[in-house]
């Protein structure tokens, strides 16, 4: 079995919506394009032109496009497979991490409030991020990305309902 967490094989954990792979690919691709724009601007810096570094900058652009493009296609699938969450009557547990496994537990008795975030790309993909804020200072906010929008609303309402006596 793959050494990364595969939360999809654990029946207790919910997977993110598969559309999050497309969302992550789009946002990763936009990051690669931004890097290429910055590098292409360097092609016209007087010092770059005068010292003859243009071929090196062009080669760096090509490498950035190739490596960044490959990562933008491959990495989101790996991230999706590594993500999982479960909610019981006492705790929210989140597992994530491709290279480094991260397990986060949020006691529902410490729940303060729950937010939904939907940026323009998330709305386009019909997704939302659920952000749980707990009492405490270290890692007091936990986000679950890539949840189908209606499911995120249902989860938010469910968490508010089962939160602790002093919560929400």
């Amino acid at each position: 079995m793959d050494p990364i967490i595969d939360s999809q094989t654990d029946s207790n954990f919910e997977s993110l919506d598969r559309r999050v792979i497309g969302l992550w690919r789009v946002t990763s691709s936009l990051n690669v394009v931004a890097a290429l724009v910055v590098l292409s601007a360097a092609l016209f810096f007087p010092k770059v032109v005068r010292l003859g570094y243009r071929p090196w900058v062009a080669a760096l652009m090509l490498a950035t496009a190739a490596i960044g493009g490959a990562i933008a296609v491959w990495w989101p699938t790996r991230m999706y497979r590594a993500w999982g969450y479960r909610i019981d009557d006492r705790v929210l547990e989140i597992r994530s991490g491709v290279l480094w496994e991260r397990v986060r537990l949020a006691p529902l008795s410490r729940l303060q409030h729950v937010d939904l975030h939907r940026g323009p790309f998330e709305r386009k993909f019909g997704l939302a991020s659920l952000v749980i804020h707990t009492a405490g200072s270290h890692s007091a906010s936990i986000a679950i990305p890539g949840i189908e929008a209606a499911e995120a609303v249902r989860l938010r309402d469910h968490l508010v309902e089962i939160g602790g006596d002093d919560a929400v």
Side-chain angles (χ1 to χ4, degrees), residues 5-25:
I5 306 167
D6 193 352
S7 294
Q8 293 178 344
T9 60
D10 191 337
S11 60
N12 295 331
F13 282 82
E14 296 290 328
S15 296
L16 303 180
D17 190 296
R18 264 195 91 65
R19 291 175 288 180
V20 76
I21 296 171
L23 172 67
W24 287 338
R25 283 182 178 153

Side-chain angles (χ1 to χ4, degrees), residues 94-164:
I94 298 175
R95 290 185 180 179
S96 63
V98 175
L99 298 177
W100 287 271
E101 177 182 350
R102 184 171 189 180
V103 178
R104 296 181 73 184
L105 298 173
L108 296 180
S109 62
R110 309 272 300 165
L111 183 69
Q112 294 294 305
H113 62 277
V114 184
D115 294 330
L116 287 179
H117 288 195
R118 296 191 71 206
F121 293 116
E122 286 177 310
R123 286 193 304 271
K124 180 73 175 162
F125 281 87
L127 301 172
S129 293
L130 190 68
V131 183
I132 295 95
H133 302 275
T134 59
S137 59
H138 179 69
S139 299
S141 296
I142 299 174
I144 306 172
I147 301 174
E148 194 272 324
E151 175 65 8
V153 170
R154 189 195 69 73
L155 272 175
R156 179 199 59 195
D157 295 344
H158 176 69
L159 286 170
V160 167
E161 182 181 308
I162 66 171

